[in-house]
PDB file of all heavy atoms in Angstrom:
ATOM      1  N   GLY A  87      15.031  17.840  11.402  1.00 97.00           N
ATOM      2  CA  GLY A  87      14.535  18.568  12.536  1.00 97.00           C
ATOM      3  C   GLY A  87      13.042  18.529  12.635  1.00 97.00           C
ATOM      4  O   GLY A  87      12.424  19.273  13.476  1.00 97.00           O
ATOM      5  N   ALA A 139      23.692  -3.945  28.849  1.00 98.00           N
ATOM      6  CA  ALA A 139      24.442  -4.007  30.108  1.00 98.00           C
ATOM      7  C   ALA A 139      25.538  -2.967  30.155  1.00 98.00           C
ATOM      8  O   ALA A 139      25.757  -2.272  31.157  1.00 98.00           O
ATOM      9  CB  ALA A 139      25.018  -5.358  30.310  1.00 98.00           C
ATOM     10  N   TYR A 212      21.031   2.080   7.253  1.00 97.00           N
ATOM     11  CA  TYR A 212      19.614   1.806   7.231  1.00 97.00           C
ATOM     12  C   TYR A 212      18.969   1.917   8.637  1.00 97.00           C
ATOM     13  O   TYR A 212      17.784   1.795   8.793  1.00 97.00           O
ATOM     14  CB  TYR A 212      19.311   0.448   6.665  1.00 97.00           C
ATOM     15  CG  TYR A 212      19.677   0.260   5.205  1.00 97.00           C
ATOM     16  CD1 TYR A 212      20.914  -0.277   4.855  1.00 97.00           C
ATOM     17  CD2 TYR A 212      18.763   0.648   4.208  1.00 97.00           C
ATOM     18  CE1 TYR A 212      21.240  -0.379   3.520  1.00 97.00           C
ATOM     19  CE2 TYR A 212      19.121   0.461   2.868  1.00 97.00           C
ATOM     20  CZ  TYR A 212      20.355  -0.013   2.540  1.00 97.00           C
ATOM     21  OH  TYR A 212      20.705  -0.151   1.178  1.00 97.00           O
ATOM     22  N   SER A 261       9.800  14.684  26.861  1.00 98.00           N
ATOM     23  CA  SER A 261       9.336  15.151  25.592  1.00 98.00           C
ATOM     24  C   SER A 261       7.834  15.452  25.609  1.00 98.00           C
ATOM     25  O   SER A 261       7.387  16.413  25.023  1.00 98.00           O
ATOM     26  CB  SER A 261       9.665  14.160  24.446  1.00 98.00           C
ATOM     27  OG  SER A 261      11.032  14.112  24.260  1.00 98.00           O
ATOM     28  N   VAL A 269       2.965  18.138  18.477  1.00 98.00           N
ATOM     29  CA  VAL A 269       2.289  17.124  17.684  1.00 98.00           C
ATOM     30  C   VAL A 269       2.783  15.793  18.168  1.00 98.00           C
ATOM     31  O   VAL A 269       3.989  15.564  18.374  1.00 98.00           O
ATOM     32  CB  VAL A 269       2.613  17.253  16.187  1.00 98.00           C
ATOM     33  CG1 VAL A 269       1.981  16.143  15.397  1.00 98.00           C
ATOM     34  CG2 VAL A 269       2.111  18.606  15.663  1.00 98.00           C
ATOM     35  N   PRO A 280      -0.156   4.207  23.294  1.00 96.00           N
ATOM     36  CA  PRO A 280      -1.192   4.838  24.159  1.00 96.00           C
ATOM     37  C   PRO A 280      -0.965   4.560  25.661  1.00 96.00           C
ATOM     38  O   PRO A 280      -1.237   5.428  26.464  1.00 96.00           O
ATOM     39  CB  PRO A 280      -2.465   4.145  23.723  1.00 96.00           C
ATOM     40  CG  PRO A 280      -2.070   2.880  23.019  1.00 96.00           C
ATOM     41  CD  PRO A 280      -0.741   3.219  22.420  1.00 96.00           C
ATOM     42  N   ASP A 300      -0.634  23.962  31.244  1.00 97.00           N
ATOM     43  CA  ASP A 300      -1.263  22.740  30.918  1.00 97.00           C
ATOM     44  C   ASP A 300      -0.802  22.290  29.524  1.00 97.00           C
ATOM     45  O   ASP A 300      -0.046  23.015  28.819  1.00 97.00           O
ATOM     46  CB  ASP A 300      -2.780  22.888  30.918  1.00 97.00           C
ATOM     47  CG  ASP A 300      -3.550  21.615  31.089  1.00 97.00           C
ATOM     48  OD1 ASP A 300      -2.905  20.521  30.994  1.00 97.00           O
ATOM     49  OD2 ASP A 300      -4.753  21.621  31.302  1.00 97.00           O
ATOM     50  N   LEU A 359       3.743  12.309   4.275  1.00 98.00           N
ATOM     51  CA  LEU A 359       4.056  13.354   5.260  1.00 98.00           C
ATOM     52  C   LEU A 359       5.440  13.926   5.014  1.00 98.00           C
ATOM     53  O   LEU A 359       5.589  15.170   5.087  1.00 98.00           O
ATOM     54  CB  LEU A 359       4.004  12.760   6.666  1.00 98.00           C
ATOM     55  CG  LEU A 359       4.297  13.712   7.820  1.00 98.00           C
ATOM     56  CD1 LEU A 359       3.308  14.931   7.861  1.00 98.00           C
ATOM     57  CD2 LEU A 359       4.314  12.993   9.164  1.00 98.00           C
ATOM     58  N   ARG A 366       6.969  22.203   1.987  1.00 93.00           N
ATOM     59  CA  ARG A 366       6.683  23.437   2.742  1.00 93.00           C
ATOM     60  C   ARG A 366       7.926  24.048   3.399  1.00 93.00           C
ATOM     61  O   ARG A 366       7.850  25.133   3.955  1.00 93.00           O
ATOM     62  CB  ARG A 366       5.654  23.129   3.818  1.00 93.00           C
ATOM     63  CG  ARG A 366       4.275  22.942   3.276  1.00 93.00           C
ATOM     64  CD  ARG A 366       3.358  22.273   4.323  1.00 93.00           C
ATOM     65  NE  ARG A 366       1.922  22.366   3.937  1.00 93.00           N
ATOM     66  CZ  ARG A 366       1.398  21.602   2.961  1.00 93.00           C
ATOM     67  NH1 ARG A 366       2.101  20.740   2.326  1.00 93.00           N
ATOM     68  NH2 ARG A 366       0.101  21.758   2.680  1.00 93.00           N
TER      69      ARG A 366
END
Side-chain angles (χ1 to χ4, degrees):
Y212 294 95
S261 290
V269 177
D300 202 348
L359 180 60
R366 288 164 166 75

